Amino acid sequence: ELYNPSDYFTVLPVSIEAISANKISVFPNQADAALNIQNKAACNLTYEIVSIIGKTILTNTSSDRTIRIEVHDLVPEAYFV
């Protein structure tokens, strides 16, 4: 029997269109020293860095137009922002 993921998980729509519409850029991809988030929407931005296994590494809110996150101490692996 198939199940509906929304019965078990909180499903949040994420897409390139949603990010573009909000005028947010994240660079560089791959970051070894620092990750930058550019917020052109001029609003408070809450961001998270989450490991590939779902562990939240960092959560913060900022109204800065450019946010610099030092990542050189993170274990080299894939993360979600």
Side-chain angles (χ1 to χ4, degrees):
E1 177 177 319
L2 295 177
Y3 65 92
N4 185 347
S6 62
D7 292 341
Y8 302 95
F9 305 101
T10 301
V11 179
L12 300 173
V14 176
S15 68
I16 296 300
E17 292 79 19
I19 293 170
S20 296
N22 290 326
K23 301 179 182 176
I24 297 169
S25 302
V26 180
F27 59 93
N29 183 11
Q30 290 181 287
D32 58 358
L35 180 69
N36 298 291
I37 302 174
Q38 190 171 27
N39 179 8
K40 298 177 189 174
C43 63
N44 281 343
L45 175 69
T46 299
Y47 59 91
E48 286 187 314
I49 297 179
V50 180
S51 74
I52 196 123
I53 62 170
K55 180 180 176 186
T56 299
I57 306 299
L58 171 72
T59 301
N60 202 356
T61 300
S62 178
S63 61
D64 294 345
R65 302 286 275 188
T66 301
I67 301 161
R68 181 177 172 90
I69 305 166
E70 299 297 325
V71 296
H72 59 274
D73 289 336
L74 294 180
V75 174
E77 66 179 38
Y79 294 93
F80 299 98
V81 179

